[in-house]
Amino acid sequence: MVRFLVVPQWQGSPAARAMLLVDGASAIAGDLPRAATTVLDVPVEAGESLGTGVRRLSALLRTRELVETGMTVDTVIIGGDCSVTVAALAALPGGTDDLAVVWCDAHADLHTPDTSPSGAFSGMALRAVLGDGEPQLALSPGIPRDRVVTVGMRNLDDDEVTALDGLAQLSVDDLESPDALADAVEATGARRVWVHIDVDVLDPAEIAGVSSPAPFGLSPASLSTAIRALRSRVPLAGATIAGFAPRSPADAVEDLGALLRLVGAVA
């Protein structure tokens, strides 16, 4: 049975209103089956960088410990900022040797502490999945580049462009074919897949509660259809839905239809 692990971490976000991510995680949690849902008591305080280039590192490390204790087989992570996926993969039952990662995000998240303009770990999350960056947070070993598929990425910083080398990339238009995602993951040879969804991959017309909207995104219908087709061909090891930051309870209610469609696709 799928279990939901709610991780209302905000410390990895660069947004001025990063704590809205806590409200977003709580809003999603309110519509999940209570018996199958665990909400982690993550740190409230910002935390310290501990002499590294990652802001709020001490809080991120504490949340990582909590995620490790809460991970089970068939876990869907509800964030919080999208760097919670790194903690989940580090604690994934069975390890990651046979795993592909699908990274659905409008942004690349491919910075390191040396290139990041903000020091926020969510902007380094995919790079950490690849095994690069701050050693206390990066996966070791990282997921090989030929087992990572990006979806809907359309807002990159200059320092992130070369870091895309070796990653399979699907555009918004590519997902007009329902089987494009499944084909790309099958081509990696992986036996399981983790699907990460930062909800800013969706078009701003479909969801308002994101910190950094990017135009010309996916529709919930096309993304959900692609994920369901993927699951019919490659077993799902788990998933993340993150990045929901509604500005008000009314905004949260307005967006929940799109969010629950994604929850249904991965769960």
Side-chain angles (χ1 to χ4, degrees):
M1 182 180 74
V2 170
R3 293 200 58 83
F4 296 96
L5 190 61
V6 181
V7 189
Q9 174 184 280
W10 63 272
Q11 291 91 341
S13 171
R17 299 184 180 183
M19 292 193 72
L20 292 176
L21 292 163
V22 178
D23 299 333
S26 297
I28 298 172
D31 275 280
L32 301 177
R34 184 171 300 180
T37 302
T38 300
V39 181
L40 294 185
D41 187 17
V42 305
V44 176
E45 66 275 8
E48 304 292 336
S49 64
L50 303 179
T52 70
V54 179
R55 294 175 61 198
R56 308 166 182 152
L57 176 63
S58 61
L60 298 173
L61 291 173
R62 175 56 183 152
T63 298
R64 186 173 180 134
E65 293 172 355
L66 295 172
V67 170
E68 183 175 8
T69 64
M71 281 292 293
T72 61
V73 175
D74 297 326
T75 296
V76 172
I77 300 286
I78 304 295
D81 73 72
C82 66
S83 68
V84 296
T85 293
V86 186
L89 293 178
L92 184 65
T96 61
D97 288 347
D98 62 347
L99 190 76
V101 172
V102 172
W103 198 266
C104 306
D105 198 318
H107 305 88
D109 297 345
L110 283 168
H111 280 289
T112 67
D114 292 333
T115 66
S116 172
S118 67
F121 184 51
S122 63
M124 312 177 201
L126 181 52
R127 194 67 175 267
V129 167
L130 296 170
D132 300 330
E134 170 54 45
Q136 296 178 81
L137 295 171
L139 295 187
S140 181
I143 305 296
R145 288 176 172 269
D146 60 3
R147 284 199 268 118
V148 175
V149 179
T150 71
V151 176
M153 194 176 289
R154 55 195 186 277
N155 193 334
L156 286 78
D157 293 336
D158 290 344
D159 287 326
E160 297 176 295
V161 174
T162 57
L164 280 170
D165 291 348
L167 306 184
Q169 301 171 54
L170 296 179
S171 68
V172 171
D173 290 342
D174 287 332
L175 257 65
E176 291 179 3
S177 168
D179 292 318
L181 179 57
D183 290 344
V185 173
E186 277 197 336
T188 70
R191 294 193 294 272
R192 299 184 298 157
V193 60
W194 185 281
V195 175
H196 164 94
I197 304 171
D198 184 334
V199 297
D200 68 15
V201 76
L202 300 178
D203 192 87
E206 304 283 357
I207 186 167
V210 298
S211 299
S212 300
F216 310 115
L218 290 163
S219 71
S222 63
L223 182 55
S224 298
T225 298
I227 291 170
R228 291 181 187 278
L230 170 62
R231 292 183 62 190
S232 72
R233 290 163 57 181
V234 182
L236 195 69
T240 306
I241 297 176
F244 184 42
R247 292 179 178 268
S248 70
D251 286 348
V253 171
E254 186 72 20
D255 286 337
L256 276 176
L259 292 164
L260 294 178
R261 188 164 193 164
L262 298 180
V263 171
V266 299

